[in-house]
């Protein structure tokens, strides 16, 4: 523990606990599948070039050896993740014992060091969430409550990992995804005419992430495609907002997960006079609450608001008010600072509009809007 009041236990004090057996099996299944696929694609390479000389009887042995190696790698990674999760639990407990004020005194250094420990533990999802904690003390009035909320979500994720063998399969898959373990899309492909609802990029020091929201005009499903590029470079996949493409998608595992992989495309994106169905602010908030029951760690839930009007609120903030009622959703500070907000205000001109965006615990972030009458989609991001 430090003398400054921040109770940060040094990493050498940590004693890793064994990984949950179910977790090892789950990790091994994914890794074994990948290894097996690699072995099928190039078994000679996996056997060091000896498959042809040894004959067909060696193929099962090669596959068995690949599965054994994958299992050992999965066991090793699960043990490291469990050690990291255990260490993070101790650091959160030390923070609360020392008082949240210490987090403000320590600044980013405290969280960067903790995030580095999660990277070492091969838990990139935890590392990203820990880094975000560093910005909370500088986020203005009310930061202690927000820091406590984020710490509680981290604690919940930690406990989910340590006991996820007792969770339903869907929720266990969600925990693995939030921890940062790789997963693969599975299940039957879904062919649909997908309307491109929104597309925008986020950046960090190592990666550019592109989020593309789609709406299945026949299935009624809203899906998220992620595409990645190196830092400072745009991802390869780009789809025009407001256009529709005939394509297949395959879902990733996890309860309440919207993420899909884009499969075969049967046409180029074309303009069609279709729009996503919308709802009012009350129904949108209720759907977001239901989604949190499946995935408590999701920051944004896709929502289309129908017949809403952007109106100014207190202290320079904005709301999207129901044109037919007296309820409204607040626009997030990030959404309110974008130039897209002014495009939305200009498009509306005081009349109702349809708006697609992401609903989170800090409000609604508008991403695309349509006028009340005929007209094309207007990107807001």
């Amino acid at each position: 523990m430090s003398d400054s009041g921040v109770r940060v236990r040094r990493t050498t004090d940590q004693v890793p606990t064994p990984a949950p057996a179910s977790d090892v099996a789950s990790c091994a299944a994914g890794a074994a599948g990948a290894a097996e696929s690699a072995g099928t694609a190039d078994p000679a390479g996996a056997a060091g070039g000896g498959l042809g000389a040894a004959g067909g009887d060696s193929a099962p042995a090669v596959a068995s050896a690949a599965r054994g190696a994958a299992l050992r790698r999965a066991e090793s990674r699960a043990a490291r993740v469990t050690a990291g999760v255990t260490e993070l639990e101790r650091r959160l407990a030390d923070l609360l014992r020392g008082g949240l004020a210490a987090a403000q005194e320590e600044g980013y250094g405290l969280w960067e060091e903790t995030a580095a420990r999660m990277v070492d533990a091969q838990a990139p999802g935890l590392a990203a969430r820990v880094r975000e904690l560093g910005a909370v003390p500088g986020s203005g009035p009310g930061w202690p409550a927000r820091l406590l909320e984020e710490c509680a979500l981290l604690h919940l994720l930690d406990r989910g990992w340590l006991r996820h063998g007792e969770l339903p399969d869907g929720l266990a898959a969600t925990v693995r995804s939030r921890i940062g373990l790789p997963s693969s899309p599975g299940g039957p492909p879904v062919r649909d005419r997908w309307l491109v609802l929104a597309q925008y990029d986020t950046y960090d020091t190592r990666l550019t992430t592109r989020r593309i929201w789609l709406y299945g005009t026949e299935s009624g499903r809203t899906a998220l495609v992620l595409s990645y590029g190196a830092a400072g470079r745009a991802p390869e996949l780009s789809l025009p907002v407001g256009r529709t493409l005939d394509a297949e998608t395959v879902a990733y595992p996890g309860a309440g997960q919207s993420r899909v992989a884009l499969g075969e495309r049967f046409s180029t994106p074309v303009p069609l006079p279709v729009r996503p169905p919308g709802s009012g602010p009350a129904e949108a908030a209720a759907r977001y609450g239901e989604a949190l029951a499946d995935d408590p760690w999701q920051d944004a839930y896709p929502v289309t608001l129908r017949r809403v009007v952007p109106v100014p609120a207190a202290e320079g903030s904005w709301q999207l008010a129901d044109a037919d009622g007296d309820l409204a959703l607040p626009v997030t500070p990030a959404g309110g600072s974008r130039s897209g907000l002014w495009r939305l205000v200009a498009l509306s001109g005081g009349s109702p509009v349809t708006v697609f965006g992401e609903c989170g615990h800090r409000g609604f972030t508008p991403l695309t809007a349509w006028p009340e009458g005929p007209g094309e989609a207007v990107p807001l991001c």
Side-chain angles (χ1 to χ4, degrees), residues 16-33:
T17 56
S22 58
D23 167 63
V24 172
S26 176
C27 292

Side-chain angles (χ1 to χ4, degrees), residues 51-68:
L51 180 59
D57 292 344
S58 63
V62 171
S64 177
R67 284 193 294 270

